[in-house]
Amino acid sequence: MHAKGAGDGRVRRRLEVPSGITLRELHDVIQAAFSWEDYHMWAFESGRDRYGVADRDLGIGSAASKRLGQVAPHTGERLRYTYDFGDDWEHDILIQDVTAPEAGTAYPRCLTGRHTCPAEDCGGIWGYGYLIEIHADSRHKEHRDRLDWLGLDSADQFDPAAFDAAQVNSALSPLATVLINY
């Protein structure tokens, strides 16, 4: 899955999750994998159907009652996940493979990825691009303020190109379960 991001490429996370996971649980996995705090509205879209926190007025059905394997059961199928309807982080989710779980393996898990995730509330794709631009220019009038906002002491503490699978898996570990094959 990847989020449309700024800079030289997209922020990517290749995740393995059980097909029996609910879309609500998948939302939690994405939040952990992208280091977000889960305080914005969100929805999955599959064809014309939308799932999230049920809201009849917005045409959103309950994500807790739909499983990933119900809405995207086959290799090659896609979902769209949008987080923060203001910043509008769009994630394209591609089902790359459907396999039996490996014995003794905890899911969800991150296999690989690319780039540091955007900070929560940075203003969407455009705001993140601007944040990276400011970060790269120590003479920019907002440079110090943005470092403070990110909770950093210096610019070398933030590398937009960095990715650490172990760190993502550590964030996913509270959600992990070892599945048993029968």
Side-chain angles (χ1 to χ4, degrees), residues 8-23:
D8 67 338
R10 296 175 188 231
V11 174
R12 296 181 186 265
R13 299 294 179 263
R14 186 170 184 197
L15 305 172
E16 280 188 333
V17 299
S19 60
I21 193 172
T22 67
L23 295 181

Side-chain angles (χ1 to χ4, degrees), residues 16-17 23 34 52 54 87 105 118 120 132 144 151 153 166 175:
E16 280 188 333
V17 299
L23 295 181
F34 282 80
D87 281 1
T105 301
E120 187 100 30
I132 290 171
R144 182 75 247 164
D153 295 320
L175 305 172

Side-chain angles (χ1 to χ4, degrees), residues 91-108:
H91 298 69
D92 295 319
I93 301 171
L94 169 65
I95 306 303
Q96 291 184 321
D97 203 358
V98 179
T99 61
E102 293 177 29
T105 301
Y107 298 96

Side-chain angles (χ1 to χ4, degrees), residues 7-172:
D8 67 338
R10 296 175 188 231
V11 174
R12 296 181 186 265
R13 299 294 179 263
R14 186 170 184 197
L15 305 172
E16 280 188 333
V17 299
S19 60
I21 193 172
T22 67
L23 295 181
R24 174 67 180 118
E25 292 166 328
L26 183 56
H27 161 75
D28 293 338
V29 168
I30 295 168
Q31 289 293 298
F34 282 80
S35 301
W36 284 335
E37 301 295 324
D38 190 17
Y39 52 79
H40 293 288
M41 291 184 69
W42 54 274
F44 288 93
E45 294 176 46
S46 174
R48 293 189 311 234
D49 297 323
R50 295 176 72 201
Y51 303 100
V53 175
D55 187 313
R56 198 174 280 210
D57 292 337
L58 295 176
I60 299 174
S62 172
S65 65
K66 281 293 181 186
R67 299 200 177 278
L68 177 60
Q70 292 175 301
V71 297
H74 305 291
T75 299
E77 292 194 83
R78 294 179 179 273
L79 292 171
R80 166 75 44 96
Y81 169 77
T82 303
Y83 176 63
D84 185 347
F85 294 171
D87 281 1
D88 209 27
W89 291 108
E90 295 178 345
H91 298 69
D92 295 319
I93 301 171
L94 169 65
I95 306 303
Q96 291 184 321
D97 203 358
V98 179
T99 61
E102 293 177 29
T105 301
Y107 298 96
R109 67 180 178 167
C110 180
L111 300 177
T112 188
R114 187 172 159 202
H115 299 291
T116 296
C117 291
E120 187 100 30
D121 288 330
C122 69
I125 186 172
W126 310 115
Y128 187 52
Y130 186 57
L131 177 65
I132 290 171
E133 179 184 316
I134 291 169
H135 176 79
D137 181 0
S138 62
R139 295 174 297 161
H140 192 285
K141 66 182 181 181
E142 295 179 42
H143 185 79
R144 182 75 247 164
D145 288 341
R146 294 298 177 113
L147 287 177
D148 290 344
W149 180 74
L150 290 170
L152 304 175
D153 295 320
S154 66
D156 62 345
Q157 291 177 296
F158 176 73
D159 178 2
F163 171 74
D164 183 347
Q167 186 177 22
V168 175
N169 281 314
S170 178
L172 291 172

